């Protein structure tokens, strides 16, 4: 188990993630940008437990080599606080939960994503391929859920990252809404527990609703024993399943029903079998390399000058992850043109920010007329400024 020297890591104050007991900050290790994960508000009683979980995650990632799973750099103890950090490869991206929430808003509550959209199957192809690889190395994730899946664009290609392997031992049961019943009974994790979690995640991504939303483990155990997907008691969950059945191929529904069986022996025998039943290819992202702006939509940011690339990153990720009407696409192009003109004429970052807001509206489904009104107001303001500057 690699232990980094005290001077190997330089932490920053830039927090890039937080959830449960842990926070992740941007750091530098051997001149490279990395992510450093540590526990929040640890006391002496919890110190050994949290150290064990981070050591467990590091040990799991050391055994894995898959483009969807971040690489570990080692363990490092802060000489000032004494806190143990797990130092890992830094990955950009938004959580899958962020994407689903945006999709639900765009669709006005009528589902999130379609299984027939190749982007959706690409996401799950990468997730399942990563888990199949982990299982082949005797690593079980035990906490697959929308917060532990990140999505991003790299060189025009969709890149999925599966993170948070600290539950890969038997000490944690993971997030209750996505945990298999046997995990809530304290039984060890298996490939079938991860299959169950992925099936629940598919339900969530397609509908925007968790089939068993309760966070109480005791209630969840009782609920799932008598409450299969085809017999959901909660009105919202039942409506969501009906929506999935009306818009999803029958083979997907059959695979989800089998994957969420109460008895793990009734589920698919492996993640590869689950993938075959879902007709998923072993989708993997391209090899990591220095990002370039070759994708058509990224060209919009380039046209608007480099000052727009960073603020637009999240917007562009959301844009690729859901269908966008051609008229809204036109708004995005127009916003890029205006932003480019503003940057060229006076480098007005305030105006660039306004263009970014218009782009966000365009990709989240705000009406084209409103986007156009905003653009017209921005163009008018620019024209007035130009007239006053050059009478």
């Amino acid at each position: 188990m690699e232990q980094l020297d005290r001077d190997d890591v330089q932490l920053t104050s830039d927090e890039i993630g937080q959830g449960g007991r842990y926070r992740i900050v941007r750091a530098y290790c051997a001149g490279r940008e990395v992510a450093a994960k540590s526990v929040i508000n640890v006391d002496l009683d919890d110190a050994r437990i949290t150290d064990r979980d981070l050591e467990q995650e590091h040990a799991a990632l050391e055994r894995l080599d898959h483009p969807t799973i971040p690489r570990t750099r080692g363990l490092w103890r802060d000489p000032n606080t004494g806190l143990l950090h797990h130092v890992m490869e830094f990955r950009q991206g938004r959580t899958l939960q962020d994407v689903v929430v945006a999709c639900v808003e765009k669709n006005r509550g009528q589902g999130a994503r379609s299984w027939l959209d190749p982007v959706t199957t690409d996401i799950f192809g990468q997730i399942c391929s990563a888990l199949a690889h982990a299982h082949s190395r005797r690593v079980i994730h035990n906490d697959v859920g929308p917060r532990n899946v990140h999505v991003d664009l790299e060189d025009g290609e969709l890149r999925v990252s599966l993170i948070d392997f600290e539950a890969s031992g038997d000490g944690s049961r993971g997030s209750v809404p996505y945990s298999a019943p046997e995990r809530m009974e304290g039984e060890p994790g298996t490939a079938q527990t991860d299959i169950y979690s992925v099936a629940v995640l598919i339900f969530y991504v397609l509908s925007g609703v968790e089939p068993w939303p309760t966070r109480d483990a005791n209630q969840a155990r009782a609920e799932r024993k008598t409450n299969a997907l085809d017999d959901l008691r909660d009105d919202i969950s039942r409506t969501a399943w009906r929506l999935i059945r009306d818009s999803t191929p029958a083979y997907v529904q059959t695979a989800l029903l089998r994957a969420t069986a109460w008895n793990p022996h009734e589920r698919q025998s492996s993640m590869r079998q689950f993938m075959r039943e879902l007709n998923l290819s072993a989708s993997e992202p391209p090899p990591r390399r220095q990002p370039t702006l070759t994708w058509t939509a990224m060209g919009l940011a380039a046209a608007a000058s480099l000052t727009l690339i960073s603020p637009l990153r999240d917007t562009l990720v959301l844009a690729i992850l859901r269908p966008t009407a051609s008229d809204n696409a036109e708004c995005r192009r127009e916003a890029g043109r205006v932003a480019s003109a503003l940057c060229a004429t006076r480098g007005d970052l305030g105006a660039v920010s306004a263009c970014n807001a218009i782009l966000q509206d365009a990709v989240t489904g705000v009406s084209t007329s409103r986007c156009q009104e905003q653009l017209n107001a921005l163009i008018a303001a620019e024209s007035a400024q130009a007239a006053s500057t050059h009478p």
Side-chain angles (χ1 to χ4, degrees), residues 8-65:
D8 285 346
V9 178
Q10 295 79 47
L11 299 179
T12 74
S13 58
D14 183 10
E15 184 175 291
I16 55 179
Q18 187 176 77
R21 295 180 297 167
Y22 298 95
R23 69 191 291 259
I24 303 174
V25 299
R26 195 185 306 267
Y28 293 90
C29 179
R32 291 185 176 182
E33 189 176 35
V34 294
K37 181 177 183 177
S38 64
V39 72
I40 304 170
N41 299 327
V42 66
D43 58 35
L44 292 178
D45 292 335
D46 289 337
R48 284 179 296 179
I49 296 174
T50 54
D51 281 6
R52 182 201 64 195
D53 288 348
L54 291 176
E55 290 168 356
Q56 192 167 258
E57 180 177 45
H58 168 61
L61 294 190
E62 273 195 317
R63 294 156 62 184
L64 304 179
D65 182 19

Side-chain angles (χ1 to χ4, degrees), residues 272-344:
R272 294 289 183 191
Q273 182 182 4
F274 189 35
M275 293 176 70
R276 288 192 294 271
E277 291 184 13
L278 290 171
N279 199 24
L280 288 175
S281 62
S283 180
E284 294 184 2
R288 293 188 67 81
R289 53 189 179 274
Q290 190 67 24
T292 56
L293 300 178
T294 57
W295 182 52
T296 303
M298 281 292 209
L300 180 150
S305 94
L306 293 178
T307 59
L308 268 178
I309 292 175
S310 180
L312 284 182
R313 189 174 186 88
D314 287 349
T315 299
L316 291 173
V317 169
L318 291 177
I320 191 71
L321 291 174
R322 56 184 178 277
T324 304
S326 59
D327 50 2
N328 280 344
E330 183 62 35
C331 271
R332 291 204 311 281
R333 286 192 290 272
E334 181 67 5
R337 186 192 66 74
V338 173
S340 178
L342 294 173
C343 288

Side-chain angles (χ1 to χ4, degrees), residues 96 100 124 127 144-146 175-181 184 192-215 224 227-229 232 237 240-241 244 252 255-261 267 274 278:
L96 192 52
V100 169
F124 282 102
I127 293 171
V144 178
S175 176
V176 171
Y178 297 87
S179 289
M184 289 185 285
Q192 283 66 41
T193 61
D194 278 350
I195 289 170
Y196 184 100
S197 298
V198 173
V200 177
L201 182 61
I202 291 173
F203 185 105
Y204 173 67
V205 169
L206 296 183
S207 68
V209 172
E210 293 167 341
W212 302 287
T214 181
R215 261 61 180 171
R224 294 178 204 188
N227 200 356
L229 285 185
L232 291 169
S237 300
W241 177 239
I244 291 173
V252 175
L256 294 181
L257 285 168
R258 184 178 180 190
T260 53
R267 299 174 204 151
F274 189 35
L278 290 171

